[in-house]
Amino acid sequence: MTRQAVALIIFLAACSGPEDTTIESSNTPLRPAMTTPTQQPVSGDWRVRVAADVAALRTSDPALLAELTAVMPQRTRAGILRFTSTPSVDPRATSVFLDRLARGGGSATERAALGEVLARTTGAYADALVDLFAGEREAMVRSAFVHSAKRATSEHAVTVIQRGLTDPAAEVQAEAARVAAGHPAGPRLAPELRAALASSAPEVRAEAARALGILGVVSARGELVALLQDGAADVRLESLRALDRIAPGSVDAATLASLSRDTDERISRLAVRLADTAVR
Amino acid sequence: MSRITCALVLCSVAACGGEEANQNGADAGTVTDACSGSDCTTPDAPPPPPAWTFHNVFGVANLDDDDGGGRDWEQAPFATDDDLSKLVLPGSTLALGGGPVQLTLSGSLTNIRIYRADVLVLGDTAGAGPLTITPDGSDVELVVEFGNFAVAGELAIAAGTNTWVSKLQSAPLLMNHHLQPAEHVWATAVNGNASFINSYQSVLGTKFTAVAGSTVGGDVWMQDEFEFGTTTGEGNQRLDVVIDSIRDRGLNGLAQRIWVGPDTIAATWGNTQFRTSYDSFGNLEASPPVTVNGVVYPFGKIYYGRVGTGTTSGLSTTLGTFLASQKVQAPFQLPTNWLCVGHVDEYSSFLPDPASPKGFKLVIADVPAALAVLATLPPTATLPYYGQDHGYPTVGSILNDAALIALNNDLQADYLNPIVAKFKTELGLTDADIIKVPSLFETVSNCGGRVAALIPGMANLIVANVDGQTTHVFTADPFFRSTTNQATDPMINAFKAASSPTLQWHFIDDWNTYHLGLGEVHCGTNVRRTPTASWWTTAQHLMGSN
């Protein structure tokens, strides 16, 4: 039995208690405290770090290395692949996954799952994402890299998000806009987000508008007003919502009256609510 | 003993006066079928019908394989077939006609067969008739067989000026709801879900079966491949129907291996070529019995996720159309296109509540309920499970994520509030009938901005009353705390406080295998239930042109 499996059993035993009880009453702490990944110092070439971690694991814990090397993502309920067991809290696990990504191979869906799980490990990975992103041909994998950049705060992460916003694939751009909306460096990405408002892909325009609203980018107001006439309902909705977040009450009554008749009920409801608020 | 089930029961609808409209030109006379019991002795009971009366037939479709010889509908009647209905025309009644009696069948002729002495005499290839019978004083025994669900026909029985029309109906396929007793529960056992499996095993014992993951390709989403339905007929006829999804992942084929046999069939509606996640049966549920604008739905109403009419915008239209054709559970649609998985069970369910006027409460995911709980907690409160797997190590880290909070508030406004309004309209509910479950969602990698549960979805629950006494509720342990002590979990406490105290709760660990796999407890479980009402007595008003 592998060490991870043993740890899982111990963990489950601690957490679940007697199966015939309805309420677990022990005060045993849940999972051990984790190290915030982004607090890990990053220096030098990430490949050197990854190689060193893998070599160290090969010596100190070959069973864990074998397990981390072999573990495969599972099909989620949605059909996409995802790692569904919590990766080891050993920060070197991050390096094993990065090593798997760097070696290539596997299907795009498997690599995307590897990209996604990085954020659920405890080691450093953002520096590696920059290179992996640049060398990745599959949009879904790049999108997963951008998704994982959400939980890293280093400049490397910002670089990945920034490149995501100008990625040729709309799905990557849209993911980057979503990530930017919740990232501490989001306001710095306002120029790229404003540029994304002109994308030919409605999902990119919508996500960019949403991000600009959440980030409170006042300078985007004019573009957002224009997008209230967009042909895509999601774009109109997110633009209206963004304008309300950036400058509550700033959408004029005539526009709200028009949008209150929008065929998309989400938009008409929001417009009515905003109009009611303005009246009060 | 032949398992042919007799449809002749005292106090049938016809004999008790519920079918006077069927009587046409009959002579007044003596009631030949005596009524007994409270159903027939009320002071307001209509006058007894005249003598030229016969029974109706309410049976089940003969689609199973009772003898191992293939589908019974494809075979001639045989002794052990328990899905045939008997219609007896009493010799004493037939004699009242004073001469030959003509039987004429109308309605769905291709799906109804009437045999006399094992000879097909009406329906199917024998046609509509008339069949002439010369009464000789003895009873005439007819056997009625149905070839599909919700088939309806009429058998006109005429002699001289006497005419009677017996209604021949096969059962509609009815989906189960949470107020029905659970007969058996299934889940898939794989590496990593031992706690989940053990929880069921310890509570339900022999009423639970863990299917080995190795036999189903590790497919843990037991809810999604199948939906248990039932059909019933007079005389305790029961044919269970496993609606087998076009999803066709690892669990595909399990129905044929472990359930299909005498009295249970599997059937599929839809085209696998167009399958989407919406075709999984976490996206197909039924409410408990409701009354809406004065209309009683004794078997509840079906609901499923669909927006618009496109081939990929919701549950298969083929299945949706079929379910609507059954009429009794009047399906309605809800939006699920905002969810990564896209199933109605991600945000809604029903809990029994004996003290409630309706006997149940709608359980619905609710963002403000979660934010209200969060507001009561210290921002520094640690959340070990959420730290590693979701990036939120403390309560404060959730509250400080403006994008996350905005996302959830928008989901509530755009989808959950309208969904609640739709439930109220479709099921005749009020706010008092609704339990708001603390819920937060987050976007998921490679799901186009659609969301999945951040807090394990507690609305995604299983109700199992297997012993007729205790109603067990199994749902996800939200792990919204720093210790293993569930009594300190504010999300658990909020949910329990809003629910009936009669429920026996089991907050089980589904975190890794299910929650991280974008599903929860209901998604990983399936339940077969006992039918509890007779559609032929309680749902005729819904069957209309049937």
Side-chain angles (χ1 to χ4, degrees):
Chain A
M1 185 178 293
T2 66
R3 196 178 82 172
Q4 193 178 34
V6 171
L8 179 62
I9 290 169
I10 295 170
F11 168 72
L12 291 173
C15 292
S16 59
E19 274 79 17
D20 58 350
T21 59
T22 54
I23 287 290
E24 171 58 51
S25 58
S26 116
N27 283 309
T28 309
L30 284 173
R31 294 175 169 176
M34 62 171 289
T35 308
T36 304
T38 52
Q39 291 174 350
Q40 298 280 323
V42 176
S43 61
D45 189 335
W46 63 272
R47 290 181 178 81
V48 174
R49 183 182 73 248
V50 164
D53 283 348
V54 171
L57 263 181
R58 188 171 291 119
T59 302
S60 65
D61 197 341
L64 177 59
L65 175 62
E67 179 168 1
L68 292 170
T69 302
V71 66
M72 294 299 290
Q74 303 299 306
R75 267 185 106 177
T76 64
R77 200 182 188 203
I80 57 179
L81 292 182
R82 201 167 191 233
F83 286 90
T84 56
S85 58
T86 302
S88 166
V89 294
D90 189 325
R92 292 174 298 184
T94 314
S95 289
V96 178
F97 292 138
L98 286 173
D99 185 54
R100 289 174 62 173
L101 281 165
R103 288 175 186 276
S107 66
T109 52
E110 288 169 7
R111 293 204 305 282
L114 280 167
E116 189 274 341
V117 81
L118 291 172
R120 291 190 272 140
T121 62
T122 59
Y125 60 86
D127 51 350
L129 285 186
V130 177
D131 290 339
L132 292 169
F133 184 93
E136 178 58 54
R137 288 193 296 184
E138 295 287 345
M140 70 178 309
V141 185
R142 295 198 302 277
S143 180
F145 291 156
V146 171
H147 188 83
S148 277
K150 177 184 177 184
R151 286 172 61 179
T153 54
S154 69
E155 279 303 305
H156 295 111
V158 179
T159 301
V160 171
I161 302 168
Q162 204 162 25
R163 290 180 182 173
L165 284 167
T166 56
D167 193 274
E171 66 183 274
V172 182
Q173 288 186 59
E175 181 64 31
R178 280 190 289 273
V179 168
H183 199 275
R188 289 164 49 196
L189 298 168
E192 288 85 355
L193 287 168
R194 287 180 65 182
L197 292 175
S199 168
S200 60
E203 66 266 37
V204 176
R205 298 197 300 277
E207 293 294 350
R210 178 175 183 79
L212 289 162
I214 289 169
L215 295 169
V217 180
V218 176
S219 58
R221 189 174 173 278
E223 293 131 292
L224 291 168
V225 168
L227 287 175
L228 293 176
Q229 311 302 320
D230 196 281
D234 284 347
V235 178
R236 296 196 301 277
L237 174 68
E238 296 302 347
S239 298
L240 180 59
R241 192 167 265 151
L243 286 164
D244 180 54
R245 287 188 168 124
I246 291 170
S250 65
V251 181
D252 64 75
T255 302
L256 288 177
S258 172
L259 290 171
S260 69
R261 296 187 295 274
D262 199 289
T263 54
D264 189 298
E265 291 184 359
R266 298 170 303 168
I267 299 169
S268 57
R269 277 195 302 265
L270 178 58
V272 168
R273 185 174 66 77
L274 295 181
D276 288 348
T277 304
V279 168
R280 288 194 202 102
Chain B
M1 170 185 169
S2 167
R3 297 183 69 193
I4 293 177
T5 306
C6 182
L8 268 176
V9 289
L10 293 180
C11 281
S12 73
V13 172
C16 290
E19 299 285 332
E20 296 91 335
N22 277 348
Q23 187 62 40
N24 182 7
D27 291 340
T30 306
V31 177
T32 55
D33 290 335
C35 284
S36 61
S38 60
D39 288 351
C40 302
T41 57
T42 57
D44 297 332
W52 189 252
T53 63
F54 301 91
H55 286 274
N56 296 321
V57 175
F58 303 113
V60 297
N62 195 16
L63 300 177
D64 62 343
D65 180 5
D66 284 327
D67 64 349
R71 197 163 75 145
D72 296 344
W73 173 253
E74 313 299 338
Q75 305 179 61
F78 52 90
T80 57
D81 190 340
D82 62 359
D83 304 299
L84 304 172
S85 300
K86 187 181 287 186
L87 175 61
V88 176
L89 310 181
S92 57
T93 306
L94 294 173
L96 297 173
V101 177
Q102 289 201 323
L103 307 182
T104 307
L105 179 63
S106 61
S108 183
L109 295 186
T110 57
N111 284 304
I112 299 176
R113 294 171 184 154
I114 298 178
Y115 296 90
R116 184 182 183 196
D118 289 337
V119 175
L120 180 66
V121 292
L122 287 170
D124 200 4
T125 56
L131 170 70
T132 301
I133 295 173
T134 303
D136 62 2
S138 60
D139 294 350
V140 172
E141 292 193 1
L142 303 175
V143 170
V144 180
E145 181 180 29
F146 298 102
N148 211 337
F149 311 110
V151 166
E154 292 182 334
L155 182 66
I157 306 168
T161 60
N162 297 315
T163 300
W164 172 266
V165 177
S166 282
K167 185 181 288 188
L168 313 180
Q169 284 183 309
S170 69
L173 197 167
L174 299 174
M175 280 175 46
N176 296 326
H177 58 74
H178 280 182
L179 299 195
Q180 295 173 231
E183 293 180 346
H184 205 90
V185 177
W186 288 267
T188 304
V190 295
N191 287 335
N193 73 344
S195 176
F196 182 93
I197 295 297
N198 289 342
S199 295
Y200 275 128
Q201 196 83 62
S202 63
V203 175
L204 303 177
T206 58
K207 300 290 188 180
F208 171 75
T209 296
V211 174
S214 59
T215 65
V216 293
D219 188 351
V220 298
W221 308 111
M222 186 65 77
Q223 179 65 213
D224 287 345
E225 191 66 39
F226 318 104
E227 185 72 37
F228 282 103
T230 60
T231 65
T232 58
E234 283 186 311
N236 295 320
Q237 282 184 317
R238 174 174 170 181
L239 174 75
D240 281 4
V241 181
V242 183
I243 306 175
D244 193 349
S245 170
I246 56 175
R247 166 183 180 268
D248 288 359
R249 281 165 60 175
L251 284 161
N252 188 41
L254 182 70
Q256 285 73 18
R257 292 202 297 276
I258 72 172
W259 294 312
V260 170
D263 304 330
T264 301
I265 66 167
T268 298
W269 287 265
N271 185 342
T272 55
Q273 185 181 351
F274 301 115
R275 68 185 169 206
T276 67
S277 180
Y278 302 124
D279 292 307
S280 297
F281 292 152
N283 193 34
L284 175 62
E285 301 296 331
S287 80
V290 290
T291 300
V292 187
N293 298 326
V295 179
V296 177
Y297 294 88
F299 298 88
K301 295 180 77 173
I302 288 171
Y303 59 100
Y304 59 84
R306 165 168 280 280
V307 175
T309 57
T311 52
T312 59
S313 56
L315 184 82
S316 158
T317 53
T318 303
L319 178 55
T321 300
F322 166 75
L323 293 171
S325 75
Q326 303 302 287
K327 297 185 177 177
V328 173
Q329 291 177 296
F332 64 96
Q333 301 170 357
L334 295 167
T336 53
N337 56 343
W338 52 285
L339 295 157
C340 180
V341 175
H343 298 174
V344 290
D345 73 347
E346 295 180 79
Y347 57 70
S348 61
S349 188
F350 291 88
L351 278 177
D353 187 340
S356 157
K358 294 185 174 67
F360 68 86
K361 293 280 180 77
L362 166 68
V363 173
I364 189 88
D366 190 79
V367 169
L371 297 179
V373 172
L374 287 170
T376 67
L377 303 173
T380 54
T382 57
L383 304 169
Y385 270 60
Y386 294 79
Q388 183 158 345
D389 289 329
H390 292 286
Y392 297 107
T394 63
V395 167
S397 64
I398 295 176
L399 291 171
N400 291 334
D401 187 337
L404 179 75
I405 300 302
L407 170 70
N408 277 277
N409 284 329
D410 294 345
L411 293 173
Q412 185 73 39
D414 288 346
Y415 301 107
L416 287 168
N417 286 342
I419 285 167
V420 169
K422 180 91 168 176
F423 267 123
K424 286 181 175 177
T425 301
E426 291 287 350
L427 301 180
L429 305 180
T430 68
D431 286 337
D433 301 317
I434 298 172
I435 296 171
K436 295 177 177 177
V437 185
S439 303
L440 291 177
F441 300 88
E442 65 174 356
T443 56
V444 179
S445 177
N446 274 307
C447 218
R450 295 185 297 276
V451 301
L454 168 57
I455 299 172
M458 292 186 291
N460 192 278
L461 55 82
I462 286 290
V463 175
N465 172 353
V466 293
D467 61 5
Q469 296 177 346
T470 308
T471 300
H472 295 281
V473 180
F474 299 86
T475 193
D477 185 339
F479 289 109
F480 212 83
R481 57 188 187 274
S482 59
T483 75
T484 59
N485 186 355
Q486 291 186 332
T488 67
D489 195 304
M491 297 299 174
I492 288 178
N493 292 336
F495 191 9
K496 287 180 65 179
S499 306
S500 169
T502 63
L503 303 173
Q504 186 74 32
W505 289 92
H506 307 275
F507 290 92
I508 63 180
D509 181 0
D510 79 338
W511 190 277
N512 282 350
T513 303
Y514 301 92
H515 176 63
L516 294 183
L518 310 182
E520 309 290 355
V521 172
H522 182 262
C523 316
T525 313
N526 219 319
V527 185
R528 188 170 63 201
R529 298 181 187 276
T530 307
T532 55
S534 305
W535 55 269
W536 55 93
T537 59
T538 62
Q540 286 291 341
H541 62 291
L542 299 171
M543 300 183 74
S545 58
N546 274 358

